[in-house]
Amino acid sequence: MRILQVGMGVGTMLASGRGLSAEASPPPPEKPFSLFQKAARSWNEVLELPAFETTPEALRKSAVDAIRRANLALDRIARVKPSKATYANTAGARDDALYQVTLVANRANLIKETSPDAALRQAATEAAKQLQEWAVGIDYREDVYRAIQACADRHPALPAEESRLLSETVRDYRRAGLALPTAERAEVESLRKELARLCTDFQSHLNQAERAVKFTRAELEGVPDEFLNLPEVKTGADEYTIRASVIWQVVTVMENARREATRKRLKTERYLLGADGNVDRFRQVIRLRARIAARLGYASWADYQIEPKMARNAATVRDFLANLRAGLEPKFDEELAAMRELKARDTGEADARIEHWDWRYYANQLVKSKYALDAEELRVFFPYDRTLQGMFRTYEHVFGLRIEAAAPPYRWVPDLQLHVVSDAATGEPLGALYLDMFPREGKYGHFAQFDLVPGKQVDPGKYQRPVAALICNFPAPSAGRPSLLSYNDVQTLFHEFGHALHSLLTRARTGRFSGTGVPGDFVEVPSQILENWARDKAVLDTFAADYRDPARRISQDLLERLQQVRRATIGTFYRRQLSFGVMDLVLHGPPAEVENLDPVQVANDAFRDVFLAAPEDTAFIAGFGHLVGGYDGGYYGYAWADAIAADLATAFEQSPQRYGDTQLGRRLRDEIYAPGGSREVEESIRAFLGRERSLQPFFKSLGME
């Protein structure tokens, strides 16, 4: 049965007692996971957690066994006679075989990013490289390709998703070079395997990179005492250690440290992460990519990467970025001028300049002076546990879900949590989600969702429900003080959970199109739109309260100032994003230009031209993991997705129930999240909006009407 009535707004939900109490409450009890498995079986579904390897030997064996079993399955496809080729015994069988390898690869990737055991992380890194190299190799199984092409040549009548899988599989073989002469094809295969190894090494090196920067209390003037007194920060009588690899620590100092020398030093150390090795690796990466693109007949690696996405080619992306840059120019100049005025007042220098290490600090000062708002003071409203539960209750209401704590059979860290998401009306388990939310040495240093078990039809009458993990680095709790999130952290939490919902709510039948298996420039849309819920007062009132005085809530005036603050420096935010997009396109430009590029210089030029010059003698590119982690030729996708998400959000903005509209929430769930990549995303957008998409809501949000 439904817990909430359709059309019941979030504000009504709070008034009816459905919202969270402002009083601190213990975490919900963990139910046995077997109860959810039993419920799944009643739906002819499978809900299984990954069987994580716990020794290096087990990881090596899993990789070898997965490859062996998949090769046998591919051999069976290769033996299919052209006259007997069907979807089921060719493209469908290939999707089944790759799915089984994906399960092992996903476990290895999570272990290498999260395990506290360095030896296990190293073994997982090697297993991931082995599996990536094998995955490249299967694109060059000409015997398998011939069988699948034979099926395609017969033009079988198939359901839409299976037809899409068949056509995209054939397209992938073309993109891998199967149409090339044998020698050129072998060269592309070799280059791609080398590229996969380098990208894995780059990310592993970055994860292990650490620069512990020590300061005195005087050098950290302006940084909140609550932060400085954290045990991982206060490491001596007058010694404070900031880990340049932990983004929330860096941002806290950069936003609050009054001394420019402190900000410059920390930014410099941040931009040296991974420099002892990753600069050379990245130089090799872009050269390999350029050579692969040239061999395959593309004008650039960017064109190769963008072809299967919504934008289709690099020229479209360049136009998008150029138009966004031009539109933002007046706003960016206005914001820089306001920041310069503040710096001139602080320094007494009339010609003071805003440097790369200044912008976060003076953006924060601008907010404080113009809007009487101190971002650090907002943390008291967002203790982690209550914020997490408040977010759960919000999305339960909007999407018709139930989110319950379960006992994980295996914990790689003591504070690991597991939750199961079910349909509130029917009780159908939809998927399971691990939460590993606080930083530690050797762990992935940013915020991301990791797929573990993609949703898939595994038998004609049985569906494998998905499992995912959120890997984050929020401030950890300490003695006598809960983990307190910044307002930006809250938006990040809502955002990352959007990726999780995209994975868990899937109804795609094939592994390829499950959940986040969508074009790269659409993948951020289902998460970007959910940030809007963290900006809505009716939603915030259900959980945001001062942990010291639960009666104290975020006022309407404060919330309006928060939104004014967001717009106050939005030009600076997007110009920084654009600098990343520009450097991405240059680094992945025409092969003749890429061969002699210095990636450090390219990044520095992009910063100087589009944003603010980076500190001298640094190597930002060595720590820019996005460009080896799937966003190469695709960093523009963040702004592109922002534009689509802003358009989708207009449906809620125009609703009388706004972000509490459960009918719209269900439509968003069914038309955007559930299909995944099983149909053209433009079709999903039209199905939700009831019209073609528009850029105007995005431009309006940026003050670019």
Side-chain angles (χ1 to χ4, degrees):
M1 69 179 204
R2 282 196 178 276
I3 298 177
L4 300 174
Q5 296 177 2
V6 174
M8 190 180 193
V10 176
T12 308
M13 174 179 72
L14 176 65
S16 68
R18 184 64 184 135
L20 285 183
S21 165
E23 299 293 338
S25 57
E30 295 179 340
K31 293 184 176 181
F33 187 71
S34 59
L35 293 179
F36 300 103
Q37 291 180 301
K38 181 179 179 181
R41 286 194 293 272
S42 71
W43 286 87
N44 290 323
E45 295 178 337
V46 180
L47 183 63
E48 293 288 348
L49 297 175
F52 289 106
E53 293 81 359
T54 57
T55 66
E57 294 75 18
L59 274 164
R60 287 189 281 269
K61 184 177 186 302
S62 289
V64 170
D65 288 349
I67 290 171
R68 177 183 56 80
R69 289 192 298 269
N71 282 337
L72 290 173
L74 294 172
D75 290 344
R76 287 193 292 272
I77 298 172
R79 291 194 294 268
V80 172
K81 295 179 180 179
S83 61
K84 301 292 186 182
T86 66
Y87 168 84
N89 63 18
T90 60
R94 183 180 184 272
D95 188 68
D96 293 342
L98 296 190
Y99 181 81
Q100 295 302 319
V101 179
T102 296
L103 299 180
V104 179
N106 286 351
R107 294 200 303 271
N109 282 322
L110 189 73
I111 291 168
K112 79 181 178 69
E113 303 291 0
T114 64
S115 175
D117 185 329
L120 203 57
R121 291 198 305 270
Q122 182 58 38
T125 299
E126 295 305 316
K129 283 197 287 187
Q130 182 181 6
L131 291 163
Q132 284 178 334
E133 185 171 328
W134 174 84
V136 171
I138 65 166
D139 284 347
Y140 299 92
R141 287 283 304 260
E142 188 171 2
D143 49 359
V144 176
Y145 165 63
R146 283 198 301 266
I148 294 173
Q149 185 64 62
C151 174
D153 289 343
R154 300 177 66 189
H155 304 290
L158 296 170
E161 182 174 346
E162 285 75 5
S163 178
R164 183 173 174 81
L165 177 66
L166 177 60
S167 64
E168 291 203 6
T169 302
V170 171
R171 183 196 67 187
D172 290 347
Y173 278 112
R174 173 185 60 77
R175 285 171 50 79
L178 264 292
L180 295 174
T182 303
E184 293 180 32
R185 183 195 314 159
E187 181 186 7
V188 171
E189 179 183 4
S190 176
L191 292 173
R192 287 182 61 199
K193 288 180 177 179
E194 185 179 354
L195 175 62
R197 289 193 295 271
L198 279 168
C199 289
T200 300
D201 287 343
F202 182 106
Q203 189 60 60
S204 295
H205 181 68
L206 181 58
N207 287 346
Q208 303 306 317
E210 187 58 89
R211 300 184 82 88
V213 193
K214 298 185 184 299
F215 295 101
T216 65
R217 181 66 184 86
E219 290 174 317
L220 293 171
E221 178 189 5
V223 179
D225 288 338
E226 292 87 351
F227 171 79
L228 295 177
N229 289 329
L230 294 173
E232 66 267 31
V233 174
K234 185 172 176 53
T235 52
D238 189 25
E239 177 186 271
Y240 300 84
T241 302
I242 308 301
R243 291 174 58 194
S245 61
V246 178
I247 185 65
W248 78 271
Q249 291 188 8
V250 173
V251 170
T252 299
V253 174
M254 297 304 294
E255 286 183 341
N256 294 283
R258 293 194 181 116
R259 297 194 181 187
E260 183 173 354
T262 296
R263 301 193 301 270
K264 182 177 181 180
R265 182 180 164 204
L266 183 56
K267 178 62 73 173
T268 297
E269 294 292 342
R270 173 75 180 175
Y271 280 10
L272 287 171
L273 283 173
D276 56 334
N278 272 357
V279 172
D280 288 338
R281 286 190 186 95
F282 193 76
R283 185 179 287 110
Q284 295 176 66
V285 162
I286 61 173
R287 289 175 178 173
L288 284 170
R289 287 170 172 166
R291 291 170 193 169
I292 293 168
R295 299 298 186 274
L296 293 173
Y298 290 86
S300 67
W301 181 261
D303 280 295
Y304 173 75
Q305 287 290 83
I306 296 168
E307 181 190 36
K309 298 176 182 175
M310 296 179 73
R312 300 303 184 197
N313 55 64
T316 299
V317 173
R318 279 191 290 270
D319 287 345
F320 173 72
L321 295 180
N323 290 336
L324 190 53
R325 177 178 179 175
L328 286 169
E329 193 85 35
K331 186 75 167 65
F332 182 55
D333 290 345
E334 175 189 320
E335 291 169 14
L336 279 187
M339 293 183 207
R340 276 195 299 269
E341 185 177 334
L342 291 175
K343 188 173 181 181
R345 186 186 65 192
D346 286 350
T347 63
E349 300 174 3
D351 59 347
R353 294 183 359 169
I354 295 298
E355 304 287 359
H356 198 100
W357 50 86
D358 287 330
W359 75 269
R360 286 191 187 273
Y361 177 75
Y362 282 105
N364 192 21
Q365 295 307 304
L366 181 64
V367 165
K368 289 181 181 180
S369 63
K370 189 172 181 179
Y371 300 104
L373 185 64
D374 186 343
E376 283 301 306
E377 291 181 0
L378 289 171
R379 288 185 185 272
V380 298
F381 291 103
F382 300 113
Y384 165 78
D385 287 330
R386 188 190 300 144
T387 302
L388 179 71
Q389 294 303 317
M391 180 187 70
F392 284 170
R393 301 296 85 79
T394 296
Y395 292 144
E396 282 182 332
H397 168 71
V398 172
F399 292 110
L401 304 173
R402 186 168 65 245
I403 304 171
E404 299 172 278
Y410 166 71
R411 282 185 163 96
W412 55 88
V413 287
D415 58 7
L416 183 75
Q417 294 182 344
L418 177 67
H419 290 81
V420 175
V421 178
S422 304
D423 183 86
T426 66
E428 177 193 6
L430 300 174
L433 179 68
Y434 289 99
L435 302 179
D436 182 349
M437 306 299 266
F438 304 114
R440 59 181 176 274
E441 187 175 351
K443 179 187 170 184
Y444 174 81
H446 216 273
F447 302 84
Q449 187 237 221
F450 286 71
D451 281 318
L452 288 170
V453 180
K456 179 176 166 59
Q457 194 78 39
V458 289
D459 285 316
K462 189 171 291 185
Y463 192 89
Q464 170 70 61
R465 295 309 308 173
V467 180
L470 287 189
I471 307 303
C472 299
N473 286 275
F474 294 119
S478 57
R481 187 174 187 264
S483 166
L484 297 177
L485 305 186
S486 70
Y487 185 57
N488 283 338
D489 288 337
V490 175
Q491 293 178 89
T492 297
L493 178 62
F494 275 62
H495 173 104
E496 294 302 335
F497 195 69
H499 286 303
L501 286 180
H502 200 189
S503 292
L504 300 181
L505 300 181
T506 190
R507 294 290 184 184
R509 294 187 297 275
T510 58
R512 179 189 180 104
F513 297 133
S514 176
T516 57
V518 295
D521 46 8
F522 184 78
V523 74
E524 294 294 329
V525 171
S527 52
Q528 292 290 87
I529 188 176
L530 292 197
E531 291 184 24
N532 288 283
W533 273 261
R535 301 172 188 143
D536 187 82
K537 179 166 172 56
V539 173
L540 292 176
D541 277 348
T542 65
F543 65 87
D546 190 329
Y547 80 103
R548 304 160 305 181
D549 177 11
R552 183 170 174 248
R553 301 300 183 95
I554 295 179
S555 67
Q556 182 63 42
D557 173 68
L558 179 56
L559 186 61
E560 288 174 0
R561 280 185 285 145
L562 280 172
Q563 302 318 315
Q564 291 170 347
V565 164
R566 178 173 173 267
R567 290 189 291 270
T569 56
I570 203 165
T572 303
F573 171 81
Y574 275 106
R575 282 296 286 258
R576 180 170 174 265
Q577 290 292 100
L578 285 174
S579 69
F580 298 149
V582 168
M583 71 178 71
D584 177 22
L585 289 186
V586 174
L587 289 165
H588 297 112
E593 298 175 10
V594 170
E595 190 64 29
N596 296 313
L597 280 182
D598 176 357
V600 173
Q601 189 62 50
V602 169
N604 289 344
D605 287 347
F607 275 140
R608 184 179 300 106
D609 181 45
V610 183
F611 184 55
L612 297 165
E616 293 183 5
D617 301 319
T618 58
F620 165 82
I621 203 69
F624 195 21
H626 285 77
L627 295 192
V628 298
Y631 283 84
D632 45 299
Y635 199 90
Y636 76 92
Y638 280 104
W640 184 279
D642 280 349
I644 298 172
D647 198 16
L648 298 182
T650 60
F652 291 94
E653 294 285 352
Q654 295 163 5
S655 166
Q657 291 85 31
R658 287 179 54 78
Y659 292 100
D661 191 322
T662 56
Q663 291 181 329
L664 278 177
R666 184 67 200 215
R667 196 161 86 211
L668 188 67
R669 170 180 163 181
D670 292 342
E671 302 294 356
I672 299 295
Y673 293 86
S678 63
R679 65 184 181 188
E680 289 285 348
V681 292
E682 294 281 14
E683 181 182 342
S684 294
I685 294 168
R686 283 193 299 272
F688 176 75
L689 288 174
R691 59 169 170 80
E692 296 295 327
R693 64 187 175 92
S694 169
L695 288 174
Q696 291 311 306
F698 179 54
F699 291 149
K700 181 179 179 181
S701 73
L702 301 181
M704 291 171 55
E705 292 178 271

